Amino acid sequence: MAFSSLRAVFAVLVLWLAGLGAAAQFAKIAVPFSSVRALYPEAGDELGWLLSLISLLGVIFGMAAGVIVSTFGCRRLLFLALILGAAVSFWQAMLPGLLPMLVSRVIEGASHLMIVVAAPTLIAQVSANRYRSLAMTLWSTFFGVSFAVVAWIGLPFVEAFGLSRFLFGHGLFMSLIAGLLLVSATPRGVASTSSSAPMHVGTVWRRHVAAYRSPSISAPAIGWFFYTLTFVALLTILPDLLPDEDRLEVAGWMPLASIAVALLVVSPLLTVLSATTIVMIGFLAAAGVIVILMAGMPVSLACITLFAVLGLVQGASFAAVPELNRTLEAQAVSNGAMAQLGNLGNTLGTPILLIIQSQLGVTGMLFAVLATYLIGCFAHVVLAHLRHKRLSD
């Protein structure tokens, strides 16, 4: 079925909206965090687990989620994940105690993982070849767009109606997307990912090892790790280097610049360059911005420029999954690896850079960021060599 048909376009939009709901599982706690803190005034540092439990779950089970999705089918598990996510939000809207809320975040982590693995795998399958890169770059914006929407709309809603109704609203949104998924049938000709192969720990582990040994399945995830190692961390650290009068405006433009480049620049580039080449260009351009920043570039301009060129990495990394992996199974496992290493990068990045900054200052932190981007580019060069060698053999 052609991507240009209304049915296929509708399916892609529904799957992207599912991604917005998954990202909002982070944003609904992170953005109105002051309201969450007021709900549990005695929690102290334990409150941070409300943010990190989903990431930690992704670190441990990200690849397993890819294997499970590839075995039992994307559509089926995506629907179940949306329903589970909705149910958890409805429960959270009752504002339970801290321990039940923490348990709910673990369950929500399972929902989140299944969505971010199944949805992009389905998008790659329902999109015609000529428009697949556009669809995947649209998917790559789901995290930034969701956080922006929660900040612009969710925060005023919380202030006006309270945290409970906000969480309930997220549950309604997830339920709506689950309903839309049912009426956005997968176009004919798209194979099922279901498999009758038995599932047990040994099977998952063997496929886990095989995936990371594959330079095609693992490449998008490995590059994504070096991207996520700095993205959230720099959104946290760089605004503190800005003048007070510029801080809020520049901090708002940083993720928007990344989203704009991912949508408007990556898709045309993918018609003439491979996704992995664009990722490498993005890493080298980001390294160049860091060098110019250390040489005296105005911090405000550097922040926006850096996140703009990182948009190349953001958009092309997801496009690399179907480009390097032709089967549904390989794509699902590759998306699982991206979820796993992406969560690992998000978990480690901010504390590592803050430690480096405290020990070596801002210059030392920027050198660490520079090294991260150069290593990310080099990793893609090595993996491309391994893929070429396999084809030659």
Side-chain angles (χ1 to χ4, degrees):
M1 176 176 289
F3 182 94
S4 57
S5 72
L6 290 177
R7 190 182 185 195
V9 172
F10 179 69
V12 169
L13 289 177
V14 169
L15 293 167
W16 180 68
L17 288 172
L20 296 189
Q25 291 172 319
F26 279 94
K28 70 181 184 181
I29 299 296
V31 176
F33 195 65
S34 59
S35 297
V36 177
R37 189 185 299 277
L39 181 63
Y40 305 107
E42 306 299 324
D45 293 340
E46 293 179 6
L47 206 59
W49 285 103
L50 286 177
L51 292 172
S52 60
L53 276 175
I54 289 183
S55 290
L56 290 176
L57 204 71
V59 171
I60 299 170
F61 297 112
M63 179 67 80
V67 173
I68 292 169
V69 165
S70 70
T71 301
F72 293 101
C74 292
R75 257 184 88 82
R76 185 187 314 166
L77 287 182
L78 178 58
F79 177 77
L80 292 175
L82 288 166
I83 293 299
L84 177 61
V88 170
S89 283
F90 290 144
W91 161 253
Q92 291 170 344
M94 299 171 65
L95 304 181
L98 181 59
L99 181 58
M101 182 66 88
L102 289 170
V103 172
S104 75
R105 292 293 282 172
V106 174
I107 299 171
E108 197 165 34
S111 165
H112 178 85
L113 267 180
M114 293 303 172
I115 294 172
V116 300
V117 173
T121 304
L122 277 173
I123 287 176
Q125 294 302 313
V126 303
S127 307
N129 289 337
R130 60 182 297 194
Y131 293 112
R132 184 170 294 126
S133 61
L134 176 61
M136 296 310 298
T137 53
L138 173 66
W139 170 258
S140 76
T141 68
F142 76 99
F143 211 84
V145 170
S146 183
F147 265 75
V149 170
V150 172
W152 295 337
I153 300 176
L155 271 183
F157 186 93
V158 171
E159 293 174 1
F161 302 104
L163 184 63
S164 176
R165 291 186 180 181
F166 175 65
L167 295 173
F168 189 84
H170 179 258
L172 287 178
F173 180 80
M174 298 289 273
S175 301
L176 173 63
I177 301 308
L180 291 176
L181 182 67
L182 290 179
V183 299
S184 62
T186 303
R188 293 184 183 183
V190 176
S192 170
T193 59
S194 298
S195 170
S196 58
M199 284 289 296
H200 50 76
V201 174
T203 301
V204 173
W205 176 251
R206 284 193 296 272
R207 294 173 71 177
H208 193 287
V209 172
Y212 278 116
R213 292 181 63 183
S214 166
S216 297
I217 293 176
S218 66
I222 291 172
W224 193 242
F225 169 73
F226 291 104
Y227 168 85
T228 57
L229 200 60
T230 68
F231 187 84
V232 174
L234 292 180
L235 279 175
T236 304
I237 295 171
L238 288 182
D240 288 338
L241 307 181
L242 296 166
D244 291 342
E245 62 271 17
D246 296 338
R247 188 169 298 158
L248 288 177
E249 183 177 0
V250 173
W253 276 107
M254 286 160 63
L256 292 180
S258 187
I259 292 169
V261 169
L263 282 176
L264 301 177
V265 178
V266 171
S267 294
L269 283 179
L270 283 167
T271 62
V272 293
L273 297 171
S274 70
T276 52
T277 298
I278 296 172
V279 171
M280 287 186 279
I281 292 172
F283 276 134
L284 290 177
V289 173
I290 296 296
V291 171
I292 298 172
L293 172 60
M294 290 191 291
M297 184 182 191
V299 178
S300 298
L301 178 60
C303 288
I304 296 174
T305 305
L306 175 62
F307 276 77
V309 297
L310 285 175
L312 298 174
V313 181
Q314 174 184 310
S317 290
F318 283 100
V321 173
E323 179 180 280
L324 297 177
N325 303 281
R326 299 303 182 185
T327 68
L328 271 73
E329 178 181 358
Q331 290 171 15
V333 175
S334 185
N335 282 317
M338 287 192 73
Q340 185 169 50
L341 293 191
N343 278 294
L344 182 61
N346 285 330
T347 301
L348 296 178
T350 302
I352 287 176
L353 288 188
L354 285 174
I355 291 171
I356 293 174
Q357 184 177 0
S358 68
Q359 298 295 319
L360 303 176
V362 173
T363 301
M365 182 271 294
L366 291 176
F367 268 112
V369 173
L370 173 64
T372 299
Y373 295 148
L374 293 177
I375 294 170
C377 181
F378 181 71
H380 266 296
V381 171
V382 172
L383 290 165
H385 172 73
L386 292 175
R387 289 192 299 272
H388 179 72
K389 184 177 179 181
R390 284 193 174 191
L391 287 174
S392 299
D393 291 344

